Amino acid sequence: MVEAITAVRARHVLVDGAFRPATVRIGGGRVTEVAAYDDGRHDPGALDLPDSARLLPGVVDTHVHVNEPGRTEWEGFATATTAAARGGVTTIIDMPLNSVPPTTTVEHLRLKQHVAAEKARVDVGFWGGAVPGNLADLRPLWEAGVFGFKCFLAPSGVDEFPPLTPPELDAALTEIAGFGGLMIVHAEDARVLDEAPHPPSRAYADFLLSRPDRAETDAIRRLLDGARATGCRVHVLHLSSARALDLLAEARAEGLPVTVETCPHYLCFSAEDLPDAAPQFKCCPPIRDRGNRDALWGALVDGVIDCVVSDHSPSTPEEKGRGDGDLQQAWGGISGLQVGFTAVADEAAARGIGLEQVSRWMAPATADLVGLGHKGRIAVGADADLTVLDTAAPLDVRAADLAHRHPISAYDGRRLAGSVTHTWLRGEEPTAGHLLTREAAA
């Protein structure tokens, strides 16, 4: 890999939402010019990409669980950001859990920033957390530079990050609306989950019954009511159930300030094809059926869903294998940071959806969600965060070859039609990322 570049030429450069031949010039870590392809012939040292290569903006993944400090044995900034760079991801926004302590106070944020500063290979920003009892911490966290606040409406899986009750959610939405912040929500309803059957079982079908669509639709309806009452901007995390799409489309038509994401695993897998006793496919909310998957793709194309993020949520093999195949006991999370972009591009191509669409969902849309206007696009003045997807270089995913801390992947054994061959952060090989704050994004 070239360590640093001042110009790169390609027949297929994604500019303003479309591919065209171009020479991209770089100086001071930014794009200084997007010139004609033939102009690059006069640039000494310009890198020429093969005709099979697509030059794209680096992916901005706004949903990553790095888990450091406190659960570094689950992942950590060194391994997570290495995996990100290898997968074309140049910016991540770290979730406020499952680290210990969680990012629920400014003191805890400073601790996480200190740890990340020494280890991050790509740029890293941080979400804050909204939990019972930290209402007074939300504004200070916002002023300290977090990009918004995550909450759960059902148990998170870790005791140090409990869910908000309905009155606590309303109070947090009111507080966050008061300073123009953003609430991002794991939208599953605790009551619905409690009422669902959840016997010990190795069968994926039984696990799916334990996380019904209604858990998502009820929680999203409650969240939209809160947004309507308070005016708070809200974002629905990792939408799994297509049955919520009508609710969300109606909310958008009404003018509510709501955005929505989904994840590669919901777009690339279907419940009918998943083996039993295979916890690498377990996540919450769950992977649902083929018709549901098709509907999520349709909602992306139609603009009801705004963006695609990894929800990279790894754990140790011991946690993932807890219960010896009992899916009720295994940790629920999918490790997809390194191959998520490539997997979505592969699935999209099979559906006749262009790579320019995939990039839009995974770079400018996510950058815009958190106000990083200088990320996620190839444009003069933007950070020269670039990645190359080569359609002539198929990828056979092997979990053991991934840079994630543990060789566990739902994508293990999957053959993808292209692979990431280059990634640059501000025009250089990713070795030392910057810490991002909301102020820097303005």
Side-chain angles (χ1 to χ4, degrees):
M1 180 180 288
V2 177
E3 290 187 0
I5 52 172
T6 57
V8 56
R9 294 200 315 158
R11 293 287 182 186
H12 307 279
V13 181
L14 187 59
V15 181
D16 295 330
F19 283 108
R20 63 179 174 88
T23 297
V24 178
R25 294 193 175 103
I26 298 163
R30 301 251 177 171
V31 175
T32 59
E33 186 180 8
V34 180
Y37 177 80
D38 287 341
D39 283 4
R41 291 177 179 174
H42 308 295
D43 287 44
L47 177 66
D48 283 301
L49 297 179
D51 289 353
S52 57
R54 272 56 178 166
L55 183 64
L56 306 158
V59 172
V60 177
D61 192 339
T62 54
H63 195 148
V64 179
H65 294 268
V66 177
N67 305 332
E68 187 175 14
R71 288 194 177 93
T72 310
E73 69 276 13
W74 290 24
E75 185 62 276
F77 284 101
T79 51
T81 57
T82 299
R86 291 184 186 178
V89 180
T90 50
T91 299
I92 66 171
I93 311 296
D94 175 60
M95 282 292 164
L97 74 163
N98 302 301
S99 55
V100 180
T103 316
T104 51
T105 68
V106 172
E107 179 184 6
H108 295 171
L109 171 66
R110 298 301 183 216
L111 174 61
K112 184 172 282 196
Q113 289 173 323
H114 175 74
V115 172
E118 299 296 321
K119 299 179 180 181
R121 293 189 62 189
V122 301
D123 287 357
V124 179
F126 303 91
W127 295 109
V131 296
N134 84 324
L135 195 64
D137 293 295
L138 301 182
R139 184 182 288 270
L141 276 165
W142 182 251
E143 293 172 350
V146 301
F147 288 92
F149 304 90
K150 180 176 186 176
C151 74
F152 279 75
L153 305 183
S156 70
V158 292
D159 292 341
E160 66 274 3
F161 203 96
L164 297 179
T165 64
E168 289 168 337
L169 173 65
D170 289 341
L173 291 174
T174 299
E175 175 69 10
I176 294 167
F179 53 76
L182 172 67
M183 177 71 100
I184 66 174
V185 183
H186 182 123
E188 287 184 289
D189 183 271
R191 180 181 53 80
V192 174
L193 294 180
D194 285 344
E195 292 173 353
H198 47 271
S201 176
R202 297 162 63 89
Y204 187 81
D206 288 341
F207 170 66
L208 189 57
L209 289 173
S210 74
R211 316 289 297 206
D213 294 88
R214 187 182 160 204
E216 289 189 79
T217 56
D218 280 12
I220 289 169
R221 185 176 291 106
R222 178 69 183 80
L223 176 64
L224 294 175
D225 287 344
R228 185 177 294 109
T230 64
C232 187
R233 291 188 296 137
V234 297
H235 179 72
V236 177
L237 296 169
H238 46 50
L239 181 71
S240 150
S241 175
R243 294 190 182 183
L245 291 172
D246 286 347
L247 274 174
L248 292 163
E250 290 166 5
R252 296 174 96 88
E254 182 184 339
L256 290 183
V258 57
T259 49
V260 189
E261 70 183 36
T262 193
C263 303
H265 38 277
Y266 302 132
L267 300 171
C268 295
F269 301 107
S270 58
E272 298 95 327
D273 301 323
L274 299 185
D276 293 335
Q280 67 269 30
F281 295 101
K282 178 186 174 180
C283 56
C284 301
I287 296 165
R288 303 190 189 276
D289 61 58
R290 290 190 198 108
N292 186 91
R293 180 180 62 177
D294 292 344
L296 293 178
W297 276 105
L300 277 164
V301 171
D302 292 342
V304 178
I305 300 175
D306 301 271
C307 54
V308 180
V309 297
S310 70
D311 189 12
H312 179 66
S313 185
S315 69
T316 61
E318 292 76 19
E319 284 294 312
K320 202 62 176 158
R322 189 170 3 113
D324 190 28
D326 178 359
L327 296 178
Q328 290 299 331
Q329 295 189 50
W331 175 258
I334 287 180
S335 297
L337 182 55
Q338 185 168 333
V339 298
F341 169 63
T342 314
V344 173
D346 178 78
E347 182 71 22
R351 293 170 177 268
I353 297 171
L355 185 57
E356 61 272 31
Q357 288 260 58
V358 174
S359 180
R360 177 167 60 84
W361 297 324
M362 302 186 77
T366 44
D368 291 348
L369 173 68
V370 293
L372 291 172
H374 59 292
K375 298 284 190 184
R377 62 213 79 213
I378 299 176
V380 173
D383 283 0
D385 300 346
L386 305 170
T387 191
V388 176
L389 185 74
D390 194 333
T391 58
L395 175 65
D396 292 308
V397 180
R398 294 181 66 249
D401 294 338
L402 300 177
H404 306 153
R405 189 175 185 91
H406 300 290
I408 303 169
S409 174
Y411 301 92
D412 186 42
R414 195 176 180 101
R415 184 175 178 83
L416 305 176
S419 60
V420 171
T421 57
H422 301 76
T423 301
W424 296 283
L425 181 68
R426 285 178 291 277
E428 299 183 353
E429 180 180 356
T431 56
H434 293 177
L435 299 189
L436 306 177
T437 63
R438 185 181 48 80
E439 288 83 1

